[in-house]
Amino acid sequence: MAGAADDFGHIVGSRPLGVLAAHSVETVRELVAFAGPRGLPVAARGGGHALYGQGQAHGGYVVDMRPLDEVRRRPGDGALSAGAGAPWSEVVRVALAEGLTPPVIPDHLGTSVGGVLSTGGFGATSHRRGLVADWVRDLDVVTGTGELLTCSREQHADLFDAVLAGLGQCALIVRATLRLLPAPARVRRFRLYHSTPESYLTDQRRLCRDGRFSHVCGQARPAVGGAWTYMIEAVAPHTPELPSDDDLLIGDLGHDRDTEEIEDLPYEEFLHRPEREERLLRATGEWQRPHPWLSLLLPEDTAAAFVPDALADPAQRGLRTCGAVQLRPLSGRTLRAPLLRRPPDERLCLLTLMRTAPPTDAAAVRELVAANRALYERARAVGGVLHPVSAVPMTPADWRGHFGPAWTDLVRAKDRHDPHRILTRGYGLWP
Ligand SMILES: Cc1cc2nc3c(=O)[nH]c(=O)nc-3n(C[C@H](O)[C@H](O)[C@H](O)COP(=O)(O)OP(=O)(O)OC[C@H]3O[C@@H](n4cnc5c(N)ncnc54)[C@H](O)[C@@H]3O)c2cc1C
């Protein structure tokens, strides 16, 4: 029970009436059908990586989705079927056993299929292939009225669109069919360091445009004298028979040649890359601390000014010592799920500030959450959009603004599929 009243953020905690283990789809369906007419909140919990209570159900029920973890290959059709509670590590394991891979994979493989699809899901291939959710063929879901439905582009398309990146508002996902592509066996990884955001973004833009790398992500890292360096991490498939040509791949880029790092590794090892860091953070205790993280989708044109400003903000100074800053390049046209809100621009940058706060200092945590809110407002003023996995207090009016023209469709889908408004209240979308 205590686990369901907390999450990876360790900022918001609210006790549910009960926790139900989803041993079958029917148990989930029965619980939602019971809770609806009684107005009892219900939220799904997968990997528990929410940052600000988004998966909690104050005075209601948390459904622990982890027992719904079956992942199996669908013979002959380049797809696999995954229970919503399965971690991405299991999806990856089953796909790689057949020489296949999901086209987009979240960095953290301990997140659940349902949790990631409900927020959209970004990965290192998102600059070319969009969201994890954009590669879903169909979903089995339990709506807020306790109805079990299969939805896809062809069947209950309105529900499909309302569920993918839909923040769990209209239905709980119980199973998904995920499309797969051939996987490389090995990859060559480049880490390329830039001293200015301008040169970093120029290269990111070039890499997004010509698609020479399969995976592109990046980070800002603290440097001496209070400065930051900007690192592009880019990956290309690589085999001894068809080695990648380094000069073709990075010869025309503007990074510092003396510090470039080039390494060959199995694709599977690349996918598991965050685990080393996680082990370290667990050992130092940082993994268990509060995580007031913030994630913003910025028009790329604004990033060269916005990012250094944000990093220089005194309220963000903790990022230099206990945190990480991700800068993911994205192309607007590849992001298809309508409820993933984003700036209208074609070139985008996903900025994620991942930092910890002292475990026993509630005032410090409150300050960081307030700093997140202030930075979100500054981002909004330059056309930025919140990625809702963040630790930011939002009012129903903020959400209405966030969804913009998609709000009417969301309200319509909510009225139809969750008329009692019991699902996933932790986001605070409704008064
Ligand atoms: C260390 C870390 C790394 C991350 N890396 C990435 C990344 O690379 N890419 C990325 O896109 N995101 C990333 N995230 C964000 C993460 O993907 C989202 O927070 C995701 O929602 C977490 O899913 P979960 O199952 O672990 O979390 P949970 O806390 O269990 O769920 C998160 C939210 O999804 C809802 N939910 C869970 N299961 C279902 C379901 N079956 N049906 C409907 N709603 C459901 C919950 O109610 C809650 O609102 C990361 C987060 C952390 C903490």
Side-chain angles (χ1 to χ4, degrees):
M1 178 83 96
D6 193 13
D7 53 35
F8 186 80
H10 303 306
I11 299 170
V12 171
S14 82
R15 265 183 104 70
L17 279 181
V19 179
L20 180 93
H23 288 299
S24 70
V25 169
E26 188 51 22
T27 3
V28 181
R29 208 199 56 68
E30 279 174 7
L31 175 80
V32 177
F34 168 82
R38 292 165 181 80
L40 295 168
V42 176
R45 181 182 169 97
H49 291 89
L51 293 153
Y52 202 60
Q54 291 95 335
Q56 295 173 26
H58 184 71
Y61 294 92
V62 169
V63 187
D64 178 356
M65 288 290 181
R66 286 173 301 177
L68 290 178
D69 62 352
E70 192 192 11
V71 179
R72 74 194 145 71
R73 185 66 216 296
R74 290 167 52 125
D77 73 349
L80 62 69
S81 166
W88 283 92
S89 54
E90 185 57 12
V91 172
V92 162
R93 190 190 67 75
V94 172
L96 288 184
E98 306 269 343
L100 298 168
T101 180
V104 188
I105 303 171
D107 295 350
H108 194 270
L109 298 181
T111 52
S112 74
V113 167
V116 168
L117 296 181
S118 75
T119 55
F122 293 103
T125 53
S126 286
H127 68 296
R128 287 169 70 180
R129 299 196 167 131
L131 300 169
V132 178
D134 291 331
W135 294 85
V136 171
R137 186 182 288 172
D138 56 59
L139 294 168
D140 290 346
V141 302
V142 171
T143 69
T145 57
E147 207 177 348
L148 174 64
L149 292 172
T150 300
C151 56
S152 65
R153 289 256 156 273
E154 292 75 37
Q155 201 181 353
H156 301 296
D158 71 315
L159 182 59
F160 191 62
D161 280 346
V163 172
L164 294 174
L167 311 183
Q169 294 306 307
C170 294
L172 303 184
I173 302 166
V174 290
R175 193 203 57 80
T177 305
L178 307 170
R179 289 162 62 194
L180 302 174
L181 294 175
R186 294 185 70 77
V187 293
R188 177 162 286 189
R189 170 166 67 184
F190 300 82
R191 285 193 173 127
L192 311 171
Y193 294 86
H194 295 254
S195 55
T196 67
E198 287 82 6
S199 114
Y200 171 90
L201 290 164
T202 304
D203 279 358
Q204 287 280 37
R205 196 175 310 140
R206 186 175 287 163
L207 302 185
C208 281
R209 198 173 47 227
D210 62 23
R212 69 181 88 171
F213 287 109
S214 53
H215 298 64
V216 181
C217 43
Q219 289 179 20
R221 290 183 166 185
V224 284
W228 291 82
T229 51
Y230 295 84
M231 182 200 69
I232 292 181
E233 186 174 25
V235 156
H238 173 78
T239 61
E241 304 76 45
L242 198 66
S244 49
D245 181 332
D246 292 353
D247 200 41
L248 265 182
L249 286 170
I250 61 169
D252 60 343
L253 301 181
H255 62 284
D256 172 6
R257 311 246 154 224
D258 294 336
T259 55
E260 69 189 25
E261 297 166 20
I262 305 176
E263 178 188 15
D264 292 342
L265 66 167
Y267 176 61
E268 186 171 8
E269 190 181 324
F270 171 72
L271 294 182
H272 285 273
R273 67 199 178 285
E275 287 165 21
R276 196 169 149 265
E277 181 91 356
E278 179 178 334
R279 275 196 300 276
L280 271 171
L281 294 174
R282 281 187 190 276
T284 61
E286 276 187 63
W287 193 257
Q288 292 82 5
R289 289 185 180 184
H291 294 101
W293 289 9
L294 174 66
S295 206
L296 298 165
L297 283 142
L298 301 170
E300 198 234 66
D301 291 348
T302 67
F306 188 89
V307 173
D309 256 21
L311 298 179
D313 185 338
Q316 309 294 341
R317 64 184 172 274
L319 281 168
R320 295 190 72 81
T321 46
C322 46
V325 180
Q326 276 192 355
L327 280 171
R328 222 188 260 292
L330 298 170
S331 303
R333 96 191 98 84
T334 66
L335 307 172
R336 293 190 302 267
L339 288 184
L340 188 282
R341 304 313 296 160
R342 60 176 178 84
D345 311 57
E346 168 51 18
R347 287 181 283 108
L348 305 173
C349 175
L350 180 68
L351 168 67
T352 306
L353 307 179
M354 309 155 90
R355 67 315 190 51
T356 56
T360 52
D361 188 347
V365 175
R366 273 197 303 276
E367 270 173 36
L368 285 167
V369 170
N372 281 354
R373 174 73 206 192
L375 200 53
Y376 157 58
E377 286 174 17
R378 273 161 60 191
R380 234 172 29 182
V382 297
V385 172
L386 184 76
H387 184 34
V389 301
S390 305
V392 174
M394 295 278 283
T395 64
D398 289 327
W399 283 117
R400 197 186 175 114
H402 169 86
F403 283 101
W407 179 251
T408 320
D409 287 344
L410 179 59
V411 171
R412 194 177 304 123
K414 185 80 174 170
D415 287 344
R416 178 159 179 209
H417 299 293
D418 181 23
H420 309 293
R421 306 207 166 187
I422 58 164
L423 294 182
T424 324
R425 285 193 188 165
Y427 283 96
L429 257 73
W430 316 100

